[in-house]
Amino acid sequence: MSTVLSDGVIHVSDDCKACDHCTFICPTGAISGVLGQKHHINPQKCINCGQCLINCPFNAIYDLSKVEELKKVLADSQKFVVVQEAPAVRVALGEEFGQAPGTNVKNKMYAALRKLGFDRVYDTEFTADLTIMEEGTELIHRVYGALGVAGFENVGPLPQFTSCCPAWIKYAEDNYPLVLPHISSAKSPQQMWGAVAKTYLAEKLNVNPANIFSVSVMPCTAKKYECERSEFIASGYQDVDLVITTRELAQMIKDAEIDFMGLADEEADRFVGLSTGAATIFGATGGVMEAALRTAYEILSGESLGKVEFDAVRGLDPVREATVEVPVKALGTSLPVSVCIVTGTKHVAEVIEDVLAGRSNYHFIEVMNCPGGCINGGGQPIRRDTY
Amino acid sequence: MSNVNGKVLKHGTQTRTMHWIHLLAFIILGLTGIGFYWDIGGIASIFGGEANASLVHRWAGVVFVVGPLLYVLLNFDRFSRFMDSISHFSKDDFAWLKVMGGYLPFIKVDEVPPQDKYNAGQKILGWLIIIGCLLIILTGFPMWLWRHSVPAVFLAFCYNVHFWTAIILILLVAGHFFLAAIHPKSRVEFSSMMLDGYIDAQISAHHNAKWFAELKESP
Amino acid sequence: MKLFHESEGITRRQFFKGAGMLTVAAVISGVFAKFGFDVFAASDDYIAKRVAGLYTLDESMAIRKSHENPEIIQIYKDFLSPGKVECVSPKAHHLLHTKYGNDIPGFIAELKNPHLVHEAEPAANEETSTEEPAA
């Protein structure tokens, strides 16, 4: 089981043509090799993001697949197999079935998963909302702490970094241990869902959590690593048992000869499967920030937002910043909340340096490893668009 | 004209030098390229391992470009005459192609049609080499200099074009070598390009009759 | 012995052929560069399209704010903070929050043996995670 933790998720196959493209893609310098010499990934430095994989001109980089194991589990009637899917999966899965990028196939995805034999089909978006509640509350506490409000003395420093991206977490742990207190203690939505599935959901469905097999469909290869990290056992079991990528789900649907686009639309199951628009945009860069702002604004101000879109945090630039004026009812003042969004781990170092040197006046910093956010994750359909 | 004595200067010093440089660069490029594309470790180790073989490949590529480029710029007249010759296809050239220059054993031919300085086959070879070199150069440099910044799909395109062009060029050059150095009908040409540049006037008058008629006698 | 050679210099036609070939080579290079540039410009388009797909989906949702999700309200009221919606309640903290880096071994010990005092125990267990950095 420790293979992923010690050997990494991403590997270079013998098809490597030594073109050296990936060494520039890699944000951590984990790939060794020069032009002409087969490349190799150092699992200690690799953050498992899979950007090299989706950008390899020869498809010579692969991620460890658990599909065969999953097929065995699905065939095992003793196991109660539940599944969650990340927001980014639903706008990319269709590409494997001839749809344009960005086509929403959420409801067909639920139907296909039921056809594949999953006992219950839920949605990671539920815990994305839960993440906003927990992480947003933590942020409010940290802001109160920084403002000197009584009762919030030991809440951790500002700015607060997001914690949804497992590649970013490993990057920070490997390279900037000093920034770790700044990272929200909230688990990623995938791990929250895993913890909730084997406790709350088991209770609601009256199923023995020992029999629950928790599967996660992710746009991400680092999630495969995250689910096997040894601290994610809050439910008493390994919270998420197995992760497959968007590509692997598409492969399973094709292997099962399901006519994906011909499926009737279905909905996710109840208790931990309802999603909101805020959770949906988690898959895009700036989305976690925007979702957090929607909730934080309404909770802090006690007012309802007229326009829920925060256009200032949208975009595809690698580093973006914005300031949002938030009226704080409890304090009777208005607080300019300064936020920063980083997409692409290559660009995060300068932001971290500023934070550690005390030059940063942000309150909240969102970091997503993949350029554009999870929708461009290492587990997503590989595109070779020309024009 | 069947009894002409003397010698014809077919390829000048600059031309022969360029041909040698291009040939040597091509051989090194071919060996290194095959070595690391197919992981033939033995070939790569001749050049000091995969990484060094790649380095040799790239700098041999520079020679492969700069050699002919300098030749074209410094000897624009020779290049122009060459381009003129290989771009002019007459009835005789088509007739030559019809009998395949008399090279094939199953096509009986008494006398091949009179040819220019380059026969129709050499003209076609000239064009293929020019186009092939252009393709291989244009795809080669992005793979080296912009490998980090171009998208994967473009890099893959370059590798594929580079690879297939290389295969075709190697086959063409092998055929060229066979006809110009081994085949009994035409191996006399070998010395005119690879050694002193001269060829017997009689052979020229026979193989390149149209060209020979235009030649001037040295005083 | 007679020696023969080509006449020096070039005719008008030869000049145009030579110059023409150089021009053609330049044009082919230009077309290739244009092709490369177009591919470069278009190769990332899918990212913006997928992002737009998410924003469009957001706009079509009936509920667009996390704290208005009825299942979120239900999980707090039924399970995480019984009877009310209280974020970072003890149960929520146990299930939904984690620790990083060097804090992980102690955190795991705490999870395995909830009776241990918070963070008091150093990592004296065999579960030291392998991904942990040498801080």
Side-chain angles (χ1 to χ4, degrees):
Chain A
M1 190 175 96
S2 66
T3 52
V4 164
L5 295 183
S6 52
D7 300 341
V9 177
I10 314 291
H11 298 268
V12 185
S13 79
D14 277 347
D15 293 338
C16 174
K17 291 292 173 214
C19 74
D20 204 38
H21 185 55
C22 54
T23 56
F24 187 74
I25 301 288
C26 181
T28 62
I31 306 179
S32 58
V34 296
L35 201 50
Q37 189 179 43
K38 282 196 188 300
H39 285 48
H40 179 73
I41 295 175
N42 174 356
Q44 262 66 51
K45 278 188 178 178
C46 175
I47 53 175
N48 306 300
C49 71
Q51 279 299 304
C52 57
L53 189 162
I54 60 168
N55 281 297
C56 175
F58 305 101
N59 298 325
I61 303 180
Y62 64 97
D63 53 330
L64 289 182
S65 174
K66 291 284 180 77
V67 169
E68 291 313 311
E69 189 184 332
L70 175 57
K71 284 179 176 168
K72 283 197 194 94
V73 171
L74 285 171
D76 182 352
S77 58
Q78 298 299 306
K79 295 280 186 195
F80 188 78
V81 192
V82 294
V83 62
Q84 54 167 326
E85 321 80 33
V89 176
R90 63 207 65 201
V91 289
L93 181 62
E95 292 168 37
E96 296 273 5
F97 302 95
Q99 302 302 299
T103 309
N104 168 33
V105 294
K106 169 167 89 166
N107 303 96
K108 296 195 191 303
M109 174 181 77
Y110 296 147
L113 287 166
R114 289 203 178 92
K115 265 199 171 325
L116 285 173
F118 289 95
D119 293 299
R120 291 287 189 283
V121 178
Y122 299 101
D123 202 318
T124 313
E125 292 195 354
F126 167 76
T127 38
D129 284 335
L130 199 52
T131 301
I132 289 300
M133 300 300 281
E134 294 294 319
E135 192 166 351
T137 305
E138 188 186 353
L139 175 64
I140 292 169
H141 289 178
R142 289 189 193 216
V143 172
Y144 285 170
L147 293 173
V149 178
F152 296 98
E153 285 80 13
N154 300 312
V155 286
L158 281 177
Q160 175 179 299
F161 284 86
T162 57
S163 59
C164 304
C165 176
W168 147 238
I169 297 296
K170 184 166 189 292
Y171 176 83
E173 287 179 332
D174 288 354
N175 301 287
Y176 292 98
L178 287 177
V179 90
L180 294 177
H182 287 270
I183 298 179
S184 166
S185 68
K187 289 179 185 174
S188 72
Q190 163 176 289
Q191 293 309 136
M192 282 197 183
W193 197 91
V196 161
K198 291 193 178 179
T199 53
Y200 171 66
L201 182 65
E203 209 174 287
K204 286 283 179 190
L205 297 178
N206 202 14
V207 177
N208 180 357
N211 290 337
I212 292 184
F213 193 85
S214 178
V215 178
S216 158
V217 183
M218 290 285 142
C220 181
T221 45
K223 290 284 175 189
K224 294 185 172 186
Y225 149 86
E226 184 186 41
C227 86
E228 295 196 1
R229 284 176 63 127
S230 36
E231 72 268 29
F232 291 125
I233 49 170
S235 64
Y237 307 88
Q238 183 178 330
D239 291 338
V240 174
D241 292 294
L242 189 149
V243 175
I244 61 169
T245 60
T246 310
R247 286 194 301 276
E248 286 164 350
L249 174 60
Q251 195 51 52
M252 286 181 74
I253 293 171
K254 287 173 186 167
D255 287 351
E257 295 177 356
I258 294 169
D259 171 21
F260 183 74
M261 291 315 292
L263 290 171
D265 287 356
E266 290 184 16
E267 290 299 332
D269 287 308
R270 288 286 67 84
F271 295 122
V272 290
L274 191 67
S275 57
T276 67
T280 299
I281 58 176
F282 256 61
T285 171
V288 175
M289 182 61 69
E290 184 168 341
L293 285 174
R294 288 179 191 178
T295 290
Y297 188 97
E298 295 208 347
I299 287 181
L300 284 175
S301 69
E303 302 162 12
S304 185
L305 271 173
K307 180 179 187 291
V308 297
E309 291 92 356
F310 287 86
D311 292 324
V313 300
R314 296 189 178 185
L316 290 173
D317 292 338
V319 181
R320 309 190 295 283
E321 50 181 25
T323 304
V324 179
E325 202 70 33
V326 180
V328 186
K329 206 173 149 195
L331 304 177
T333 61
S334 178
L335 182 72
V337 176
S338 179
V339 301
C340 177
I341 296 116
V342 184
T343 177
T345 291
K346 276 191 176 180
H347 307 279
V348 80
E350 47 184 308
V351 177
I352 294 177
E353 300 286 355
D354 280 353
V355 167
L356 293 181
R359 292 191 296 265
S360 171
N361 58 357
Y362 301 125
H363 295 95
F364 196 24
I365 302 175
E366 176 202 295
V367 183
M368 291 191 187
N369 171 81
C370 297
C374 310
I375 45 92
N376 189 28
Q380 292 283 66
I382 294 169
R383 295 204 69 90
R384 290 289 179 260
D385 295 342
T386 50
Y387 53 88
Chain B
M1 280 204 285
S2 55
N3 285 317
V4 204
N5 290 317
K7 293 262 186 191
V8 175
L9 179 63
K10 191 163 187 184
H11 302 295
T13 314
Q14 297 95 321
T15 311
R16 298 196 314 274
T17 311
M18 183 274 283
H19 190 269
W20 265 110
I21 291 173
H22 214 210
L23 172 66
L24 289 176
F26 187 80
I27 289 172
I28 293 171
L29 286 165
L31 282 177
T32 49
I34 289 170
F36 57 68
Y37 203 86
W38 276 306
D39 296 329
I40 303 174
I43 298 182
S45 57
I46 297 174
F47 298 94
E50 287 169 327
N52 281 327
S54 164
L55 210 60
V56 170
H57 188 86
R58 282 173 266 160
W59 288 103
V62 171
V63 174
F64 189 79
V65 176
V66 171
L69 195 67
L70 275 181
Y71 172 80
V72 168
L73 296 178
L74 299 178
N75 302 275
F76 187 66
D77 54 338
R78 289 169 198 273
F79 171 70
S80 294
R81 287 200 295 272
F82 173 73
M83 285 314 303
D84 182 39
S85 174
I86 68 164
S87 63
H88 184 251
F89 281 87
S90 68
K91 254 195 291 188
D92 291 328
D93 291 308
F94 293 114
W96 188 95
L97 287 173
K98 216 173 238 169
V99 297
M100 290 309 283
Y103 278 111
L104 298 180
F106 49 86
I107 301 179
K108 286 266 180 285
V109 58
D110 297 330
E111 192 70 20
V112 290
Q115 295 292 297
D116 293 324
K117 182 176 183 180
Y118 301 99
N119 65 40
Q122 289 167 325
K123 288 179 181 180
I124 291 174
L125 177 77
W127 277 108
L128 291 176
I129 298 275
I130 289 176
I131 294 167
C133 287
L134 258 181
L135 284 177
I136 217 158
I137 290 165
L138 287 176
T139 52
F141 282 94
M143 285 155 52
W144 174 14
L145 301 173
W146 303 315
R147 63 186 187 275
H148 288 155
S149 43
V150 297
V153 57
F154 184 73
L155 210 51
F157 171 82
C158 286
Y159 269 82
N160 282 328
V161 172
H162 200 85
F163 172 76
W164 287 109
T165 313
I167 295 292
I168 291 167
L169 279 180
I170 287 170
L171 293 177
L172 283 176
V173 169
H176 176 51
F177 176 77
F178 173 74
L179 289 177
I182 294 174
H183 198 286
K185 275 190 182 175
S186 46
R187 64 186 170 206
V188 286
E189 298 261 4
F190 184 77
S191 67
S192 74
M193 185 55 102
M194 305 313 284
L195 301 173
D196 59 359
Y198 284 98
I199 190 164
D200 280 344
Q202 195 170 356
I203 291 163
S204 238
H206 176 72
H207 282 272
N208 310 90
K210 285 162 125 180
W211 177 61
F212 188 76
E214 294 169 10
L215 290 181
K216 286 197 169 57
E217 208 173 309
S218 294
Chain C
M1 191 172 67
K2 286 179 179 174
L3 289 179
F4 299 90
H5 63 84
E6 283 179 326
S7 48
E8 299 290 323
I10 48 173
T11 65
R12 222 179 142 75
R13 188 183 74 182
Q14 287 167 339
F15 172 79
F16 281 120
K17 291 239 173 120
M21 187 61 226
L22 291 183
T23 314
V24 168
V27 167
I28 291 176
S29 309
V31 167
F32 185 75
K34 171 84 166 62
F35 169 73
F37 186 79
D38 287 350
V39 170
F40 182 78
S43 62
D44 279 353
D45 281 0
Y46 72 95
I47 296 177
K49 286 178 186 160
R50 287 180 186 166
V51 169
L54 283 182
Y55 285 134
T56 312
L57 185 55
D58 164 37
E59 281 163 27
S60 73
M61 304 282 269
I63 312 166
R64 298 180 66 187
K65 296 163 210 158
S66 302
H67 56 285
E68 293 175 358
N69 184 336
E71 285 188 352
I72 290 290
I73 296 166
Q74 187 188 10
I75 192 176
Y76 278 108
K77 285 189 174 164
D78 289 3
F79 183 72
L80 293 173
S81 52
K84 56 185 191 263
V85 176
E86 186 205 334
C87 297
V88 205
S89 65
K91 202 162 195 173
H93 196 269
H94 170 70
L95 284 176
L96 308 180
H97 290 257
T98 187
K99 290 186 176 167
Y100 305 109
N102 289 337
D103 294 343
I104 290 175
F107 180 59
I108 294 173
E110 202 181 309
L111 286 173
K112 294 209 165 168
N113 189 356
H115 307 298
L116 286 178
V117 189
H118 274 232
E119 290 160 49
E121 300 295 322
N125 59 56
E126 68 286 0
E127 277 84 28
T128 306
S129 58
T130 45
E131 82 279 6
E132 207 186 312

